[in-house]
Amino acid sequence: QACPRQGWLDRRLRADRLETQGGDLDARIRGDIIHGALGALFEKALGLVEHAEGDSKIAKSLADLDEAPEILFTYILDHLAEHAPWLEREDATAGQRRHDLIGMNRDDWLDWLSSPRPMPPSGRLGQMLMAEMELHNAIPLSIEWPLNGIDITHPDGRSIRMNGYIDRVDMVKLDEFCNSESEPTIAPLNLSENSEWNPQRLILIRDIKSVDGPRSNGIGDRHRKALFDELQLALYARAWELAHPGDLVIGAGISEIG
C-alpha cells in the first residue's frame, strides 16, 4: 500500500521524490569558514578586528612577524574547533572536508582537540597561511570592511549606493610613489602620469573566493571574469577612495582559495 504522505506529495505538490538534505558542505558555508578563519588569524596575530581599520603607521603583515607558522596555524584550528563542530563527525563527507581544509583525519583532529598544540600548516587553510607569509609588501588594513551606504556618482549624474562588505583591503609599501605630506584629497578618476595629484597610500582590494580546484587549465578564470565581466571590484575600489581621501587603489582582484 502506497504511503499516504507520498501520494499527497505526488498529486497535490507534484513532487515525485522527497527532497533530501545534501550531505556535502554547502559552498557558502565553506566560504564563511574560510573567511572566518582568515579573520581569526588576523585578529589574533595582527590585532586586526573585522569591520575595523588598522593604523597604517604601525600595521604589519604576517611576513613581518617573528612567529612560526605552526603557532599561527593554531589560531586557525582554534577557530574551526569553535565554529565547525561537524569536523568531528565520522561520515565520509566530513572526512573529505576535514582533509581538504586542514589535512587531518578524524583521529588526528580529535587528538588535537583534546590537547591543542602547534601543528605544521596543512590542507587548504594551511596553504592559505603559507601563501600569506610570503607577502612582505602587502599589509592588511581591514577585513570585511563595511561600505555603509557610500554613494558613487558617475560624471553623467547617475549614482549607486553601495552596501555590504569588502573582503579584504591591503596597503602596499612603495614609499617612493607616495607623498604623506600632501593634502589628502579624493583620487581623480582621470589620473594620468601628468597629473599633479599624489597619493598618500597605495591600496589593494581583494575579494576572497573558495573554489574547488581550479583545474590547471582554469587557473585565474574567476579573477579575469571579475575584472573584465563584472563591476563589483571597480565599485569597491572607488568606494574605498571616496571614503579615504589621499588613497589610490592600484589593484583589485580575486584571491582563489582552493
Side-chain angles (χ1 to χ4, degrees):
Q1 182 175 356
C3 170
R5 179 172 182 269
Q6 185 62 53
W8 178 77
L9 287 168
D10 291 344
R11 290 190 294 271
R12 298 297 299 273
L13 298 185
R14 301 180 185 275
D16 294 333
R17 286 185 288 180
L18 293 173
E19 289 186 353
T20 59
Q21 179 69 35
D24 200 1
L25 183 65
D26 181 82
R28 181 186 58 80
I29 297 175
R30 185 179 60 192
D32 288 345
I33 289 172
I34 291 173
H35 280 72
L38 185 64
L41 172 64
F42 282 176
E43 180 174 355
K44 292 184 178 180
L46 302 174
L48 187 62
V49 181
E50 284 190 1
H51 311 315
E53 293 182 37
D55 185 344
S56 59
K57 294 180 180 179
I58 61 174
K60 293 183 178 181
S61 68
L62 292 183
D64 294 328
L65 296 179
D66 185 21
E67 194 73 86
E70 292 82 1
I71 298 294
L72 297 176
F73 194 48
T74 61
Y75 300 151
I76 292 175
L77 297 180
D78 283 338
H79 176 80
L80 294 181
E82 181 177 354
H83 296 280
W86 51 265
L87 285 174
E88 301 176 37
R89 295 194 326 228
E90 298 184 53
D91 58 273
T93 297
Q96 191 277 329
R97 289 304 181 192
R98 186 170 51 243
H99 184 269
D100 170 60
L101 288 170
I102 55 176
M104 293 187 191
N105 60 38
R106 183 171 182 266
D107 288 341
D108 291 338
W109 178 236
L110 293 178
D111 181 58
W112 188 89
L113 290 175
S114 66
S115 180
R117 58 197 179 278
M119 295 284 289
S122 56
R124 184 188 300 240
L125 295 176
Q127 292 172 359
M128 177 186 74
L129 169 61
M130 296 309 295
E132 194 67 42
M133 296 188 73
E134 297 294 323
L135 299 178
H136 291 272
N137 290 323
I139 301 174
L141 284 183
S142 187
I143 293 288
E144 300 292 330
W145 183 72
L147 290 158
N148 288 340
I150 295 174
D151 288 318
I152 299 177
T153 303
H154 191 274
D156 67 7
R158 291 177 296 170
S159 66
I160 183 172
R161 176 159 294 179
M162 299 293 295
N163 287 293
Y165 301 88
I166 297 177
D167 285 349
R168 175 171 173 176
V169 181
D170 289 0
M171 178 182 67
V172 181
K173 291 194 298 185
L174 292 172
D175 294 338
E176 61 269 29
F177 296 100
C178 298
N179 182 3
S180 59
E181 303 302 323
S182 62
E183 185 69 21
T185 56
I186 295 173
L189 284 174
N190 59 346
L191 185 65
S192 69
E193 60 182 10
N194 298 321
S195 174
E196 296 182 358
W197 185 87
N198 291 303
Q200 291 189 336
R201 301 189 303 184
L202 301 177
I203 300 297
L204 298 176
I205 301 292
R206 297 170 62 181
D207 198 34
I208 300 169
K209 301 294 186 187
S210 169
V211 297
D212 283 324
R215 297 181 301 273
S216 59
N217 63 351
I219 294 176
D221 283 354
R222 187 64 188 87
H223 174 71
R224 286 186 288 271
K225 185 176 187 294
L227 288 181
F228 299 115
D229 297 341
E230 300 172 356
L231 290 174
Q232 183 182 34
L233 290 175
L235 292 171
Y236 281 176
R238 191 55 180 169
W240 179 271
E241 289 178 341
L242 291 174
H244 299 83
D247 282 5
L248 177 65
V249 177
I250 61 171
I254 300 294
S255 293
E256 296 178 344
I257 300 178

